Amino acid sequence: MLKMYDSLSGELKTIDESKVRIYTCGPTVYNYIHIGNARPLILSDLIVRFLEFKDIKYKYLLNITDIDDKIIDKAIAEGVSEIDIAKKYSEAFLKDLEDLNIKLPTKVIPISSKLLEIIDFIEVLIDKKHAYEVDGNVYFDISSLANKYGELSKQKKEELNIGARVEEDKNKKNPDDFVLWKKTDKGKKWLAKWSYGRPGWHTECALLIDNFFTKTLDIHIGGIDLKFPHHENERIQYIAKNNKEVAWVWAHNGHLSINNEKMSKSLGNTILVKDFIKKYGANVLRFMYLNSNYRQPLNINQQTIDQAIDWNTKVLNLLKTANWKIAINEITLNNETPIDDNFDSYKYITKFKEFMNNNLNTPMIITLLDEMAKNINKQFKNKVLDRTLDKFNAILSTLGFKYELPKIDKKTQAKLKEWLESVANKDFENADNLRDVLKEGGII
């Protein structure tokens, strides 16, 4: 059974695998996503792929925030409509998911499609005395659930001091209350009984979870930077409406930094996903995330990038070698028994499941893959392959790695055989020429 660390309780919790309900906070579509945004998405993809590997059913919801002041500001700056901005960057986001080899969730919902539901949700909170309206704005009254607010971020109400960090709003009963509905005359707005306005950011996730799932979430995923105030405010609204917890497990991934500095526009060190993939490839980013525990902070620098490149190169070369050796019958396939008792190849999948079930211990799985690679290379020398290669590929796929291997036609097979014959006959000039041709074609 899958066990994951819950940020709320501080404990490892066992996930009920009868049918797993997952929610991940998606992007605000006013720009391209950066590699920090990709970390919770890759975490979600890892969980989904593992559930599929174990043949466990799931429902996975991802939101897209396509109503936001940042979208309005971008539209004004570019002289286009908010709809155009949201459409452009929503499509770019979905393209990034594809390029990252991330499986599409069960449902991706843009919040603009749920405005009537949001308004109804807010009305319920007002009716239950958890929210109030002043001059067309609606606020959540955190004093209505003072014993609950702050539990997720481990902060006491008197220590929050939110009002000192935000623009003063005299409409609030308490400085720590937050907006559910914002009265505005700027940008796109909708008519509610209180005013023309827009929903607050914290409300959309609470509404979508309440609207899409009939039961409490099993896993709520997001970056540690969202724990407060976003997840805290999202959680309190859901509890206020339903009198129960949002999620069994709150899974927060660690901070990302670049060369020991927080990634930010002001520092000019923001790396967009599309730019990273173009330069290094999606497998490199995925390795960097999986080579450390998802909860740990991660510092990306040229050394970690080079390590990821080297690892992926070794894996790809191994798969290429297996591909061409099998194609020309250089290797005999033996799927019945392990070739070498020292490697216990039949236990690899068992170990993989154990590591994954233990709070997604992917660094140990990387080590396991390295052990399997050594076994496969040894089998190359013996010219017999057992099922280790199949299991190696199955684990890579479940981790979300994707390697493109060339198809080897008869003409290429002939070149491979000629190359090997030239080496055996010590015709090194011809062997080198053929090797260069095969390497250029991505065969070896």
Side-chain angles (χ1 to χ4, degrees), residues 1 14 70 73 79 94 98 121 123 125 135 140 155 158 166 197 234 245 334-335 355 374 376 381 397 439:
M1 299 286 281
T14 301
K70 292 177 181 177
D73 293 340
L94 294 175
E98 180 184 348
F121 183 88
E123 284 203 57
L125 295 181
D135 191 26
F140 189 91
Q155 300 180 81
E158 58 271 19
V166 299
E234 173 195 328
E245 278 295 341
N334 182 342
N335 292 329
F355 293 143
K374 289 179 182 177
I376 294 166
K381 293 178 182 178
S397 178
K439 195 168 184 180

Side-chain angles (χ1 to χ4, degrees), residues 287-408:
F287 174 85
M288 289 191 296
Y289 287 149
L290 300 187
N291 198 37
S292 65
N293 184 272
Y294 74 90
R295 293 186 58 235
Q296 299 304 314
L298 177 62
N299 178 50
I300 290 180
N301 53 35
Q302 196 57 51
Q303 183 178 353
T304 57
I305 292 172
D306 289 343
Q307 180 188 14
I309 292 170
D310 289 346
W311 188 87
N312 276 286
T313 300
K314 288 176 185 176
V315 169
L316 180 57
N317 286 340
L318 179 76
L319 297 177
K320 283 181 180 179
T321 302
N323 191 41
W324 70 256
K325 282 181 178 290
I326 292 170
I328 64 169
N329 298 316
E330 173 81 3
I331 277 182
T332 302
L333 297 178
N334 182 342
N335 292 329
E336 299 301 321
T337 57
I339 301 303
D340 189 332
D341 291 337
N342 293 326
F343 287 102
D344 294 331
S345 66
Y346 62 95
K347 291 184 178 179
Y348 285 136
I349 294 297
T350 300
K351 289 179 181 179
F352 169 65
K353 288 180 179 178
E354 286 175 359
F355 293 143
M356 284 292 285
N357 283 328
N358 184 20
N359 198 30
L360 308 175
N361 191 349
T362 52
M364 285 302 297
I365 296 169
I366 297 296
T367 301
L368 178 66
L369 286 168
D370 290 341
E371 178 186 324
M372 295 174 78
K374 289 179 182 177
N375 184 354
I376 294 166
N377 276 314
K378 185 173 183 180
Q379 292 180 30
F380 287 161
K381 293 178 182 178
N382 295 331
K383 296 191 176 184
V384 182
L385 271 178
D386 66 14
R387 293 190 62 204
T388 301
L389 179 64
D390 293 336
K391 295 175 181 181
F392 187 76
N393 280 317
I395 293 172
L396 287 174
S397 178
T398 306
L399 294 182
F401 291 104
K402 185 179 180 181
Y403 300 95
E404 299 291 342
L405 295 176
K407 291 183 178 180
I408 299 177

Side-chain angles (χ1 to χ4, degrees), residues 21-54:
R21 291 164 289 274
I22 306 166
Y23 181 81
T24 301
C25 291
T28 301
V29 284
Y30 71 100
N31 205 338
Y32 299 103
I33 63 167
H34 56 68
I35 59 173
N37 303 135
R39 195 174 191 190
L41 297 169
I42 289 175
L43 171 60
S44 305
D45 188 58
L46 175 69
I47 294 169
V48 163
R49 286 174 178 274
F50 185 53
L51 293 175
E52 289 184 356
F53 179 82
K54 296 203 289 183

Side-chain angles (χ1 to χ4, degrees), residues 4 6 21 23 46 88 99 117 121 127 194-195 214 232 243 254 277 292 294 299 315 332 339 347 384 387 412 421 433:
M4 291 189 66
D6 171 36
R21 291 164 289 274
Y23 181 81
L46 175 69
K88 173 183 176 180
D99 292 344
E117 291 86 345
F121 183 88
D127 291 342
W194 318 291
S195 64
T214 56
E232 194 74 72
N243 197 31
I277 291 175
S292 65
Y294 74 90
N299 178 50
V315 169
T332 302
I339 301 303
K347 291 184 178 179
V384 182
R387 293 190 62 204
T412 305
E421 287 171 4
N433 289 335

